[in-house]
């Protein structure tokens, strides 16, 4: 009798345990046909992704055959013609959870994954996605399905961005892969330099590796505002560059002008408000625009508004660190919230 009761209880639990399988059917074709092979390393301590509720049923989000096999099969399905590069896909974390409110729920996705190219001298970082995304039951009751789709979209984006990206020149050993973040940070010139090299930096990688564009000098106008970089007869607006160093001080371009870059024991950061990084309204009849993704920052001592008045604006904002592996802002949890 006891065994029968246990069987019935297990049957009820199994019936309530629903499954949402991550659909890896979106194309991740490499248009350059450059990748010969893909190795997937799943370094998560727990292979379980997580679950959310649908009415009274718990719905688990899963890979059909496990992360390693599914991601690898996905790549080979869409890339029958291949080149000579060996790509490594490192799945660092993948979690789904639910925050249940009184009248609704919020599903949360946390995903971190990176890609590398394997060469004779080691593994060279390409790109990574470090994402937190949410979906509310007010928008859809199918939280598990929405979160599974977001997983597919994030992974798709990582593959497509990786095909286009140039691998870092800095290489690491296979043993260093699990701790690549710390290892590579130790090699970044901008974090080690006591004195910064004057000049302009075309992107976040050149900035963090401390390699300014050769031959350019930074110039300011008669009001003391930096406006251009000059190389011989070539003159380029300063806002076309990612960052610049002038008289030993680093600055980052942001939508409302540029701002000083600082660093501390935690890395490189800026102090900026949400309105400065994501201006959405017109000022004095001029539309400033919205900040583009992938901008690396520095610290704001003074924001110089070159787009409107060429005057300095002294502003204080929270520390916004910059991810040296993507150039993206790492916002504090309460960023943009009013107290």
């Amino acid at each position: 009798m006891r065994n029968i009761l246990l069987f019935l209880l297990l049957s009820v639990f199994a019936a309530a345990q629903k499954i949402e399988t991550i659909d890896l059917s979106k194309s991740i074709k490499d248009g350059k046909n450059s990748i010969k092979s893909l190795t997937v390393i799943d370094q998560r301590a727990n292979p379980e992704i997580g679950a959310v509720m649908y009415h009274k049923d718990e719905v688990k989000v899963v890979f059909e055959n496990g992360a390693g096999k599914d991601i690898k099969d996905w790549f080979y399905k869409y890339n029958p013609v291949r080149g000579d590069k060996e790509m490594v896909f490192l799945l660092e974390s993948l979690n789904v959870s639910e925050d249940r409110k009184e009248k609704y729920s919020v599903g949360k996705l946390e995903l971190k994954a990176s890609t590398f190219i394997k060469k004779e001298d080691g593994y060279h970082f390409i790109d990574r996605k470090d994402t937190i995304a949410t979906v509310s039951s007010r928008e859809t009751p199918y939280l598990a399905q929405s979160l599974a789709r977001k997983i597919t979209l994030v992974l798709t984006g990582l593959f497509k961005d990786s095909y286009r990206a140039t691998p870092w020149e800095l290489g690491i050993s296979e043993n260093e892969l699990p701790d690549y973040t710390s290892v590579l940070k130790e090699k970044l010139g901008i974090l080690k330099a006591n004195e910064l090299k004057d000049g302009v930096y075309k992107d976040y990688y050149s900035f963090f590796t401390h390699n300014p564009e050769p031959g350019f000098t930074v110039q300011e106008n008669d009001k003391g505002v930096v406006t251009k970089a000059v190389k011989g007869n070539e003159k380029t607006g300063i806002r076309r560059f990612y960052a610049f160093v002038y008289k030993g001080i680093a600055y980052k371009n942001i939508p409302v002008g540029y701002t000083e870059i600082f660093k501390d024991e935690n890395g490189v950061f800026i102090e900026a408000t949400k309105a400065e990084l994501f201006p959405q309204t017109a000022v004095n009849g001029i539309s400033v625009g919205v900040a583009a993704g992938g901008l690396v920052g520095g610290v704001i001592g003074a924001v110089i508004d070159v787009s409107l008045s060429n005057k300095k604006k002294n502003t204080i904002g929270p520390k916004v660190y910059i991810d040296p592996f993507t150039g993206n802002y790492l916002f504090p949890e309460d960023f943009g919230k009013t107290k």
Side-chain angles (χ1 to χ4, degrees):
M1 183 67 182
R2 181 179 178 182
N3 290 337
I4 295 174
L5 180 59
L6 179 60
F7 174 78
L8 291 174
L9 288 173
L10 290 174
S11 299
V12 170
F13 176 77
Q17 188 77 42
K18 306 294 183 180
I19 298 295
E20 180 65 42
T21 302
I22 300 169
D23 180 12
L24 298 180
S25 62
K26 196 172 181 64
S27 174
I28 52 169
K29 178 175 174 54
D30 173 13
K32 298 179 180 179
N33 297 325
S34 60
I35 308 301
K36 176 180 69 174
S37 65
L38 177 72
T39 299
V40 179
I41 301 175
D42 184 357
Q43 70 173 32
R44 295 175 299 156
N46 183 1
E48 297 289 328
I49 297 173
V52 294
M53 298 299 294
Y54 175 68
H55 297 312
K56 296 182 179 181
D57 295 332
E58 184 181 68
V59 184
K60 291 181 66 176
V61 178
V62 302
F63 285 103
E64 185 175 8
N65 303 292
K69 185 177 189 315
D70 282 5
I71 293 172
K72 193 171 183 178
D73 290 348
W74 184 29
F75 171 81
Y76 286 121
K77 174 184 176 181
Y78 287 100
N79 293 281
V81 179
R82 295 186 287 276
D84 58 359
K85 296 180 180 179
E86 298 180 56
M87 179 181 282
V88 175
F89 182 100
L90 182 65
L91 183 58
E92 301 170 66
S93 62
L94 177 55
N95 298 290
V96 161
S97 59
E98 182 179 8
D99 182 10
R100 297 183 67 81
K101 310 292 185 181
E102 184 177 349
K103 295 183 179 180
Y104 67 98
S105 294
V106 176
K108 182 179 180 180
L109 165 66
E110 298 174 272
L111 192 160
K112 185 176 181 181
S114 304
T115 52
F116 301 80
I117 289 293
K118 182 181 178 182
K119 298 182 180 181
E120 291 183 358
D121 63 340
Y123 295 79
H124 294 253
F125 176 83
I126 310 175
D127 197 6
R128 95 170 162 194
K129 297 293 184 184
D130 190 355
T131 299
I132 295 177
T134 59
V135 60
S136 171
S137 62
R138 288 173 168 175
E139 301 168 357
T140 173
Y142 306 105
L143 295 181
Q145 186 180 71
S146 296
L147 292 169
R149 286 175 177 172
K150 287 182 182 293
I151 293 171
T152 300
L153 290 174
V154 173
L155 297 182
T156 299
L158 177 56
F159 271 108
K160 292 187 175 182
D161 290 345
S162 297
Y163 299 148
R164 295 189 293 264
T166 301
W168 285 24
E169 294 179 4
L170 303 171
I172 60 175
S173 68
E174 184 173 358
N175 291 335
E176 292 172 323
L177 270 178
D179 192 32
Y180 76 91
T181 296
S182 299
V183 174
L184 286 176
K185 277 185 177 180
E186 290 294 323
K187 299 183 179 184
L188 294 176
I190 203 70
L191 300 179
K192 298 186 298 181
N194 293 321
E195 295 183 3
L196 301 182
K197 300 175 184 176
D198 275 17
V200 291
Y201 297 79
K202 65 178 181 179
D203 52 29
Y204 79 89
Y205 178 73
S206 64
F207 177 73
F208 276 98
T209 54
H210 205 196
N211 290 310
E213 292 297 285
F216 280 94
T217 58
V218 178
Q219 289 189 358
E220 61 182 17
N221 62 16
D222 56 4
K223 296 180 180 180
V225 177
V226 174
T227 57
K228 66 186 70 169
V230 178
K231 180 180 181 181
N233 295 325
E234 180 183 351
K235 296 181 180 180
T236 307
I238 200 66
R239 293 189 63 76
R240 291 186 176 272
F241 297 97
Y242 178 76
F244 64 93
V245 175
Y246 183 55
K247 296 181 180 180
I249 300 176
Y251 299 90
K252 173 71 186 71
N253 280 315
I254 62 175
V256 296
Y258 59 80
T259 185
E260 188 176 348
I261 299 175
F262 294 89
K263 61 181 177 180
D264 61 14
E265 67 279 3
N266 296 318
V268 169
F269 66 95
I270 62 172
E271 290 177 350
T273 64
K274 183 178 181 180
E276 290 162 343
L277 295 182
F278 303 101
Q280 297 177 338
T281 59
V283 181
N284 294 336
I286 302 174
S287 180
V288 179
V290 179
L295 298 179
V296 168
V299 167
I300 292 181
V303 172
I304 302 176
D305 188 349
V306 297
S307 63
L308 300 179
S309 64
N310 287 341
K311 295 181 180 179
K312 293 183 180 181
K313 294 181 179 179
N314 295 322
T315 60
I316 299 297
K319 285 185 179 181
V320 179
Y321 284 90
I322 312 304
D323 183 352
F325 297 96
T326 63
N328 293 331
Y329 294 123
L330 302 175
F331 298 109
E333 190 171 336
D334 58 349
F335 185 74
K337 295 181 180 179
T338 57
K339 295 183 179 180

